[in-house]
Amino acid sequence: IDLYRAMGGKTSKSLVQPLKPLVDPGDKDGRPSQNSADQNSGIPGGRKHKSMAERKSHMLLNGAFDIEDPTGNKLALAPDVVSWFKRRNGETLAGSLAFVPWIVQEAYLENDVDADTTIIHRGSGAVVFSDASGFTALTEGLSQKPNGAELLSQCLAAFFTPLIQLIHAYRGDVIKFSGDALMIYFPAMDDMEGPQKKFKVPPHGSYGLPDIGAMATAVLRASACCIEIQKRLHMFDTGVDGVHLSLHIGVGCGDVVILQVGGLEPPDTYVPRTEYIIAGPPLAQISVAEPLAKKGETCISPEAWEHVKGCIIEDTSRKLDDPAYHLIGRLDEAKYTFPTIKASAKERDRRKEKQFTISELDIIRRFVPSAVFKQIEGGTLTYVNEMRNISTIFVSCSGVDVSTEEGATVAQDLMTAVQRICYANEGTLNKFLLDDKGMLFLLVYGLPPLVHTDDPSRAVLSCFDIVRAFRRLDLVAHCGVSTSCSYCGVCGSAERMEYTVLGDGVNLAARLMSNAPENGILVCENTVARCSLELSFKALEPIKVKGKANEVPIFEPGMAPASECLGVGSDGFIHFPWYTRPLDAVSASTKEKAALPEIYRGNVRNLCGIAEWTGMSKTQTLLGGEYDKNLHIQQPCVPRAAVTKSPNSAGPFSQGGTVVIQGPTGVGKVELAMHAVAYAATHFNMLPVFGTMGPRVQDLYRPGVELVKSCIGAFRHLDSTLPADDADCLGRMLSASQSAEFLPLFREAIAGLVPEDQRSSILTKLIDLVVILLEQLKRKTAVFIVLWLDYGTNLFPKTIQYFEIFWTVLSTLAKLTEASGGGHPLVLWTLCKKADTNHPTVKAAMGKGWLIDVNGLSHEACKAYMASHLAVPLASMPAAVVSFVAKLSMGNPLYIRETLDMLLSEGHISVEVSEPEEGEDEDGAAKEPKDDEPHEGGADAEGDAGGERSKGRGAAKEPITTVHLHGDLNEIEIAGWSHTAMVGDTMCLLESLDPLEAAILKMSTVFSSSFSLADLAACTCSRWSGANRFDYLRLFRAVQELEARGILDKVPYKKQEKDLTPAKSKTVASASESFAKLPFKTVSADKPSMEARELQMFEMKNVLIRKVGGSMLLEAQRKKVKRQALMDRALQRDLPLRMKELKNKENEPHIPWYYENILSRN
């Protein structure tokens, strides 16, 4: 396992690590010679990664390989290990080479280029831009079909395979895919010097004609290639709904520069991501030529025409808007022909001699998206092709000549800025292009593994930061954002491909970008509908865009205005910050902020009134007293008059201190905080102060602003003469020097003008100001501080680390609670998903018993909460509904609410209110439910809509409320509830898994009970198909990772009882011998045998993950998993015995039948 971790690296999330070549003694530069190519084919080593901090792979001069264990001992790798790595890395290399252009490979191998070099190639040649028409209609048509992604990928492969073959045949190099368009480079190579002098035929391929020069030859090859492409692929029949594809092409020539920019690490990997672009005068030429060409036409620039006007016959069938440009008609076949041009180009093509090998696999990884690279490693590249909902951003920037050294530096600075913003919001930078609009950035939110339920909001928020970054560089940005279902997958052929996005929504984002004003952002209607309440939108006049028959509604985004009042208002009412800026998923079902306060208060009433909830009982113990159900009917208010009630003398509200409440999203942390704040305010006159952080990195300083504003609100409550303006109020409370230091920072933070690199420092300064205010405030009154950290839908540690400053804020404020004294306690109430148990403040809370773990509700508490949420009597809840909701939600109150709401909206359950019939109980109790569920006895749960029932014999009977169940709940396809936090967050979790982990999870949903590693291996790496121990080890580590994340559970292996039927007993028992009978060599004779080990079984117990994960598995795949597992068990059970019988039979002497007849006669 140590060996595999060293080679694979858990933190890298990848099987293949960066490599370095074996040192060839005959090559002093360290480059492998031809005879060492076999040795240099697949053993990991090279530069150290974070996962290899103490273990390094070494490759010796003689070709032997060893590895250091953590103690420094060197262990030799077995030959089968070496063979395994060679095979795996060789397969990965073969699949990933298609993602890197020839010219980039050549630049790394021939020039002095490394990861820090920006300009990697300077040359000249012809540049072709080929744009396909018809893909948008094709994508839109196939997006409505269940197998649309598969059909579209087949169409793409059928169209691009011959196209790219022709390009390579003419010595062209596909530099970039711009959706369905190609940027192609035909380098001008001097084929008359050096080794090329041996050819008698000139480079253009026509014997007897003089050489026309390197540039003219490149333009000739490009022109001939375009002519043949139009002949072969014009009106290409896709075979789908009568859609045909056609090309319009532009050709230019001149000096060319290729840059590589970027180099930052995406959040899901530790491999830096680099983009390359092509720049130079030819791009300006083709930006004019390509639009002049119609379908099936090729337009050539005047600069390129000068080189081939004696070789090409012009198409004069129509006049162009720009007379300097020309349409290519056909070759002058009296001089040049397609076969000879092509044959000469192939004959002189030496690009495969300058191709990346295993030694450069670490370089290749920089140019391939990490999710795609992982699929290549697993041999499942086709799995990346899918139709999915994504949010797309197009950003343009003009006025920078990136072909110069100065412009290249600007491009690098701009690229790293955009990468940093994109990765901080867990998005994907899919493309960096250069065209007539300048530099173009294509950012996509929603591509695996970076999938979130709030991707549209992330996209819009990223645009705000991008505009700020452009302004700091004195550049102008134009941004367009759209949200749609689009094709996401590989585009191209096996020779050259890229991962891209296609669809009408992607095109719409580009059109919105073109119409956006300077440093402006335009978004589509679909994006507005899916964004969260933290954003506001202004409707603009609809616009007409290319490809749309009707005008398109457009909107200008902005940040939603923050609440003017936080904490205690002038009227004494308490205003929570999440009323206007919700951090959790409570607002997913509403788009009206005005409804949020009542929604939150309703949740508090229904949840905190459940006596069985341990979270509430612990909280109330800290507060002292009893729960008051009337406390949350109206908005809580701090009384002006002093109250005489006293808190629990042993709790924090009496002496001051820090309470930490931790738990997943939706379990009730916020409800507990709201109850504690309202109770402390009304019973102890404690004034609340709030500070919330997350889930966006754009406003890390927000808790500082909220703490200051709520402190000001507390001061105003104590002194009504203070001015209404926050800044003026601060000026009254601070000294002159303090005002000069803090007021400008406070105004800058309120205006949202904090630069990206100053957010943490501004927060630190604001917290210093908060400390000054709190020290004054606690001299006058008791203070209740609520700090809330919520990561939201952020998935990866690299993003979560932005919020580490929260714990510094906690430490600073906790010091004030330690020095409370003076009769005015200061309580710090901290909410988080998972507290840092090594933090001193958290440790102190743990020592006092003030760390509260809030988990799911118990079964009885779930039932009571369901009845409270539906406003029905407890006895009317059907047992089947209670069981289904409790298992699916795992007791999470948020998930319970969402599940019940969806069951009601889809008609699976209904609530009926009827008048009581004769013969019923005098107290108005409902009749026995149809499912024979017993009455609970006693009063209704807290929050029951029935309220207090009349107990007297003569009292009027109240209406009866009954919950009815319709149909089988287990047949519900809950995967369709993706808009809920319950299902949406689960899908995002599954999408964030590595490909192998995701495959295991999906397979585990097939097994209704426990399963073994051998059952999983039967479908992915069967021993009967040549798998070895390393394949099993990868599988084992992936299962371990899923277990560590709580997705799979270990279960003990249960041996069968003797009274079971023999066949069943053998089948189950054979699973325990899975690895004992593997056809592999034993590593060491002194190791315990596999037969002595008890088989570890696993089970998918999480019903929610089982249902969501199972929905991602096709029925054919489900049947395959079952079939393979059953076959493997049967082979394990029966094959060894049959093989033994066959071997015994072979050892017996064989006497032919005719000899038997002779012997029998004798």
Side-chain angles (χ1 to χ4, degrees):
I1 293 176
D2 285 342
L3 169 64
Y4 182 75
R5 286 175 178 167
M7 297 302 185
K10 179 178 177 182
T11 54
S12 72
K13 294 289 186 184
S14 178
L15 171 66
V16 183
Q17 288 297 303
L19 315 175
K20 66 180 179 182
L22 290 169
V23 178
D24 189 345
D27 189 344
K28 58 186 178 182
D29 294 329
R31 292 276 311 155
S33 59
Q34 291 297 321
N35 58 10
S36 67
D38 183 66
Q39 291 179 323
N40 182 31
S41 60
I43 304 303
R47 69 181 175 87
K48 184 170 70 174
H49 266 219
K50 296 181 180 179
S51 62
M52 304 174 69
E54 297 181 358
R55 298 186 291 267
K56 303 176 182 179
S57 292
H58 297 282
M59 294 183 285
L60 308 181
L61 291 177
N62 59 6
F65 302 90
D66 70 325
I67 187 171
E68 284 185 5
D69 63 15
T71 62
N73 299 321
K74 292 185 177 181
L75 304 173
L77 298 183
D80 58 341
V81 175
V82 175
S83 174
W84 185 85
F85 273 114
K86 285 184 176 182
R87 176 175 60 84
R88 295 289 301 186
N89 289 348
E91 293 171 355
T92 302
L93 175 68
S96 58
L97 274 176
F99 287 83
V100 186
W102 295 105
I103 195 68
V104 174
Q105 300 180 48
E106 182 180 334
Y108 268 90
L109 297 180
E110 284 197 342
N111 304 333
D112 186 18
V113 170
D114 57 27
D116 298 324
T117 306
T118 302
I119 298 178
I120 62 174
H121 171 79
R122 286 190 181 275
S124 59
V127 178
V128 173
F129 185 74
S130 169
D131 190 13
S133 299
F135 269 115
T136 300
L138 181 65
T139 305
E140 289 301 298
L142 293 178
S143 65
Q144 308 301 322
K145 298 184 178 181
N147 60 339
E150 181 181 359
L151 293 175
L152 182 56
S153 62
Q154 292 173 358
C155 291
L156 290 170
F159 180 74
F160 280 106
T161 296
L163 175 61
I164 293 174
Q165 285 176 347
L166 283 173
I167 293 169
H168 285 178
Y170 283 95
R171 211 172 174 180
D173 190 5
V174 179
I175 303 297
K176 274 288 184 183
F177 286 75
S178 305
D180 52 15
L182 301 181
M183 186 77 72
I184 310 159
Y185 178 38
F186 291 81
M189 308 292 293
D190 190 354
D191 291 334
M192 297 298 291
E193 297 294 332
Q196 306 285 7
K197 292 174 63 177
K198 65 181 180 179
F199 298 107
K200 297 181 179 179
V201 178
H204 52 67
S206 295
Y207 184 79
L209 294 180
D211 178 39
I212 58 177
M215 179 62 81
T217 302
V219 178
L220 177 62
R221 289 171 178 167
S223 302
C225 179
C226 293
I227 296 172
E228 189 169 358
I229 286 173
Q230 295 287 24
K231 285 184 176 181
R232 293 183 56 181
L233 296 177
H234 180 54
M235 296 303 291
F236 179 84
D237 186 5
T238 63
V240 177
D241 299 334
V243 177
H244 291 77
L245 305 178
S246 57
L247 295 165
H248 40 104
I249 305 174
V251 182
C253 72
D255 294 332
V256 167
V257 174
I258 295 180
L259 295 78
Q260 64 170 6
V261 291
L264 300 188
E265 296 174 355
D268 59 317
T269 180
Y270 286 99
V271 178
R273 185 78 170 89
T274 304
E275 285 285 339
Y276 50 84
I277 55 171
I278 182 171
L283 274 77
Q285 300 170 25
I286 60 176
S287 68
V288 178
E290 184 269 332
L292 292 174
K294 293 183 178 180
K295 294 180 181 179
E297 295 180 341
T298 302
C299 182
I300 188 170
S301 71
E303 293 84 354
W305 179 253
E306 285 299 316
H307 292 284
V308 294
K309 59 185 179 181
C311 314
I312 303 293
I313 297 176
E314 183 181 3
D315 179 4
T316 58
S317 59
R318 69 180 184 91
K319 292 183 178 181
L320 302 179
D321 294 338
D322 191 333
Y325 284 75
H326 305 268
L327 290 178
I328 293 178
R330 56 187 175 85
L331 282 177
D332 186 352
E333 296 185 0
K335 301 177 181 178
Y336 307 100
T337 63
F338 297 108
T340 55
I341 297 174
K342 201 182 321 182
S344 177
K346 286 183 178 180
E347 193 175 38
R348 289 168 165 82
D349 193 353
R350 295 290 180 268
R351 291 182 295 189
K352 288 191 176 181
E353 298 174 1
K354 304 168 185 177
Q355 192 175 28
F356 280 158
T357 63
I358 289 292
S359 302
E360 290 78 37
L361 198 55
D362 59 327
I363 301 174
I364 297 175
R365 295 183 67 180
R366 300 173 65 92
F367 298 104
V368 184
S370 61
V372 176
F373 192 86
K374 292 169 188 175
Q375 297 286 6
I376 294 173
E377 288 177 320
T380 55
L381 183 58
T382 56
Y383 288 6
V384 303
N385 301 329
E386 56 186 337
M387 296 287 184
R388 65 165 49 245
N389 288 313
I390 57 172
S391 292
T392 308
I393 304 175
F394 266 101
V395 185
S396 69
C397 172
S398 58
V400 180
D401 183 4
V402 300
S403 62
T404 65
E405 292 288 345
E406 181 181 357
T409 302
V410 173
Q412 171 63 15
D413 293 341
L414 197 55
M415 179 65 174
T416 54
V418 174
Q419 274 188 324
R420 185 169 54 253
I421 294 166
C422 179
Y423 297 159
N425 290 280
E426 292 192 346
T428 302
L429 204 162
N430 184 258
K431 290 284 187 295
F432 182 29
L433 309 169
L434 200 67
D435 67 357
D436 58 311
K437 304 178 184 66
M439 290 182 286
L440 290 181
F441 297 88
L442 172 59
L443 289 71
V444 185
Y445 289 79
L447 295 178
L450 305 172
V451 181
H452 315 85
T453 54
D454 58 348
D455 278 316
S457 298
R458 291 172 178 268
V460 176
L461 290 169
S462 297
C463 289
F464 295 147
D465 277 348
I466 289 173
V467 169
R468 295 189 193 102
F470 276 55
R471 281 175 172 162
R472 286 197 298 271
L473 295 171
D474 293 326
L475 298 172
V476 175
H478 304 264
C479 303
V481 186
S482 70
T483 300
S484 64
C485 181
S486 303
Y487 171 79
C488 310
V490 291
C491 181
S493 70
E495 296 182 46
R496 182 72 176 92
M497 66 179 74
E498 281 188 7
Y499 185 76
T500 190
V501 291
L502 297 172
D504 182 61
V506 179
N507 295 340
L508 178 58
R511 309 294 184 229
L512 293 176
M513 173 200 69
S514 301
N515 286 274
E518 290 189 356
N519 293 322
I521 306 167
L522 294 182
V523 303
C524 72
E525 189 174 21
N526 201 18
T527 302
V528 174
R530 300 190 183 191
C531 279
S532 57
L533 294 174
E534 61 198 298
L535 295 166
S536 63
F537 297 91
K538 176 184 177 183
L540 304 178
E541 285 294 324
I543 59 173
K544 180 71 176 175
V545 298
K546 179 182 177 182
K548 294 285 187 180
N550 300 321
E551 291 185 333
V552 176
I554 59 173
F555 301 83
E556 180 183 7
M559 292 301 301
S563 175
E564 292 296 327
C565 180
L566 283 181
V568 184
S570 58
D571 51 5
F573 289 109
I574 299 175
H575 301 268
F576 295 94
W578 44 87
Y579 281 178
T580 55
R581 180 68 186 276
L583 274 68
D584 56 8
V586 73
S587 62
S589 60
T590 180
K591 290 296 180 182
E592 297 296 331
K593 282 188 179 181
L596 286 178
E598 180 54 37
I599 291 174
Y600 274 110
R601 287 198 298 272
N603 293 341
V604 175
R605 289 194 301 270
N606 293 338
L607 186 57
C608 293
I610 298 176
E612 297 89 347
W613 186 27
T614 57
M616 181 58 193
S617 61
K618 291 179 180 179
T619 299
Q620 196 63 50
T621 300
L622 296 178
L623 289 165
E626 296 180 353
Y627 171 73
D628 181 4
K629 64 180 181 181
N630 297 318
L631 183 62
H632 304 287
I633 295 177
Q634 300 295 331
Q635 186 175 355
C637 179
V638 180
R640 292 285 182 182
V643 293
T644 58
K645 294 183 179 180
S646 300
N648 181 356
S649 59
F653 294 91
S654 175
Q655 55 190 270
T658 302
V659 178
V660 179
I661 300 182
Q662 64 177 5
T665 299
V667 293
K669 301 189 300 293
V670 182
E671 286 82 354
L672 290 178
M674 292 182 65
H675 171 69
V677 167
Y679 192 94
T682 56
H683 290 71
F684 314 138
N685 279 121
M686 296 190 79
L687 299 186
V689 173
F690 301 107
T692 62
M693 177 179 286
R696 312 299 181 197
V697 299
Q698 284 87 354
D699 54 3
L700 287 176
Y701 54 88
R702 191 182 74 245
V705 174
E706 292 179 349
L707 287 166
V708 172
K709 289 175 70 70
S710 50
C711 280
I712 294 172
F715 278 107
R716 287 202 190 100
H717 179 75
L718 298 174
D719 183 0
S720 58
T721 63
L722 290 174
D725 182 75
D726 288 341
D728 294 341
C729 189
L730 273 180
R732 288 270 299 271
M733 293 182 287
L734 300 177
S735 65
S737 60
Q738 290 172 339
S739 297
E741 179 182 1
F742 293 113
L743 280 180
L745 296 176
F746 181 66
R747 290 192 176 98
E748 183 181 12
I750 288 180
L753 302 176
V754 179
E756 179 187 353
D757 56 348
Q758 297 180 22
R759 290 167 180 164
S760 296
S761 60
I762 291 292
L763 174 59
T764 302
K765 283 288 188 181
L766 289 175
I767 296 302
D768 292 340
L769 172 59
V770 171
V771 170
I772 295 173
L773 297 176
L774 287 175
E775 286 177 341
Q776 297 180 32
L777 188 61
K778 71 176 185 178
R779 298 191 192 105
K780 302 179 179 182
T781 184
V783 182
F784 189 171
I785 306 174
V786 177
L787 287 183
W788 183 11
L789 170 63
D790 196 292
Y791 302 135
T793 56
N794 292 316
L795 296 168
F796 294 92
K798 284 187 182 178
T799 309
I800 294 174
Q801 71 181 2
Y802 282 98
F803 305 105
E804 289 299 315
I805 193 173
F806 175 86
W807 302 106
T808 304
V809 174
L810 177 64
S811 297
T812 303
L813 298 181
K815 294 176 182 178
L816 297 175
T817 67
E818 298 168 2
S820 293
H824 296 301
L826 189 150
V827 177
L828 179 57
W829 195 274
T830 306
L831 311 177
C832 60
K833 285 186 177 180
K834 184 66 176 176
D836 180 5
T837 54
N838 294 320
H839 193 278
T841 304
V842 178
K843 283 185 176 180
M846 293 172 63
K848 295 180 180 181
W850 296 348
L851 174 64
I852 302 176
D853 279 304
V854 185
N855 298 309
L857 303 176
S858 65
H859 185 80
E860 289 302 317
C862 281
K863 184 174 182 179
Y865 186 57
M866 294 178 208
S868 181
H869 181 70
L870 293 176
V872 299
L874 190 65
S876 69
M877 289 298 302
V881 174
V882 173
S883 177
F884 174 80
V885 176
K887 289 181 179 179
L888 186 64
S889 65
M890 298 166 291
N892 187 306
L894 171 62
Y895 295 175
I896 291 174
R897 296 195 299 269
E898 291 183 332
T899 303
L900 291 174
D901 292 344
M902 291 305 301
L903 292 178
L904 282 170
S905 65
E906 294 184 355
H908 301 296
I909 63 173
S910 61
V911 178
E912 180 185 2
V913 180
S914 60
E915 295 297 326
E917 299 178 1
E918 293 296 330
E920 290 184 329
D921 293 347
E922 292 180 354
D923 62 353
K927 291 183 177 180
E928 288 289 323
K930 294 182 181 180
D931 57 4
D932 296 326
E933 179 188 356
H935 288 297
E936 296 296 322
D940 293 336
E942 292 287 353
D944 217 338
E948 295 293 330
R949 298 182 180 270
S950 301
K951 301 299 180 181
R953 179 176 297 270
K957 295 181 180 180
E958 295 185 3
I960 298 174
T961 306
T962 309
V963 178
H964 296 289
L965 172 62
H966 309 286
D968 186 359
L969 295 177
N970 293 317
E971 298 297 323
I972 299 174
E973 296 292 336
I974 69 165
W977 302 353
S978 57
H979 60 284
T980 64
M982 176 179 68
V983 176
D985 290 347
T986 303
M987 284 185 169
C988 296
L989 170 65
L990 304 187
E991 295 275 18
S992 70
L993 298 174
D994 274 358
L996 183 57
E997 294 171 5
I1000 291 172
L1001 184 145
K1002 293 173 185 177
M1003 286 190 292
S1004 67
T1005 63
V1006 174
F1007 301 98
S1008 59
S1009 59
S1010 60
F1011 55 90
S1012 68
L1013 195 64
D1015 295 326
L1016 299 175
C1019 191
T1020 57
C1021 51
S1022 173
R1023 71 208 64 181
W1024 317 110
S1025 61
N1028 63 17
R1029 293 189 185 276
F1030 265 77
D1031 294 302
Y1032 276 77
L1033 185 55
R1034 291 182 62 234
L1035 199 65
F1036 174 67
R1037 290 195 61 241
V1039 171
Q1040 278 191 319
E1041 182 69 19
L1042 292 175
E1043 183 206 348
R1045 300 182 70 166
I1047 297 174
L1048 293 181
D1049 297 286
K1050 282 184 179 179
V1051 294
Y1053 170 66
K1054 297 181 180 179
K1055 294 184 178 181
Q1056 299 297 307
E1057 300 294 336
K1058 291 182 179 180
D1059 58 346
L1060 290 176
T1061 60
K1064 188 172 182 180
S1065 179
K1066 285 183 180 180
T1067 301
V1068 180
S1070 64
S1072 65
E1073 303 168 357
S1074 298
F1075 292 97
K1077 299 176 182 179
L1078 294 180
F1080 303 145
K1081 296 180 181 179
T1082 305
V1083 177
S1084 175
D1086 58 354
K1087 298 281 182 72
S1089 68
M1090 301 298 270
E1091 296 181 9
R1093 304 178 188 176
E1094 186 175 281
L1095 178 66
Q1096 179 61 63
M1097 304 295 288
F1098 302 90
E1099 188 174 353
M1100 169 68 72
K1101 294 183 178 180
N1102 190 309
V1103 177
L1104 177 61
I1105 294 180
R1106 173 183 288 277
K1107 285 185 171 290
V1108 176
S1111 68
M1112 298 179 176
L1113 201 63
L1114 299 177
E1115 185 60 29
Q1117 295 171 323
R1118 188 183 303 276
K1119 290 180 179 179
K1120 178 183 177 182
V1121 173
K1122 290 182 180 179
R1123 182 174 61 250
Q1124 293 295 107
L1126 291 173
M1127 289 173 58
D1128 187 77
R1129 291 188 180 187
L1131 288 172
Q1132 291 175 41
R1133 183 187 66 231
D1134 300 334
L1135 186 60
L1137 180 60
R1138 294 192 181 186
M1139 294 298 292
K1140 184 178 180 180
E1141 292 175 354
L1142 180 61
K1143 188 174 182 180
N1144 293 337
K1145 187 175 181 180
E1146 289 176 349
N1147 292 334
E1148 294 178 357
H1150 174 65
I1151 302 176
W1153 63 271
Y1154 45 85
Y1155 283 130
E1156 288 184 353
N1157 292 338
I1158 296 173
L1159 292 174
S1160 63
R1161 289 199 300 268
N1162 293 335

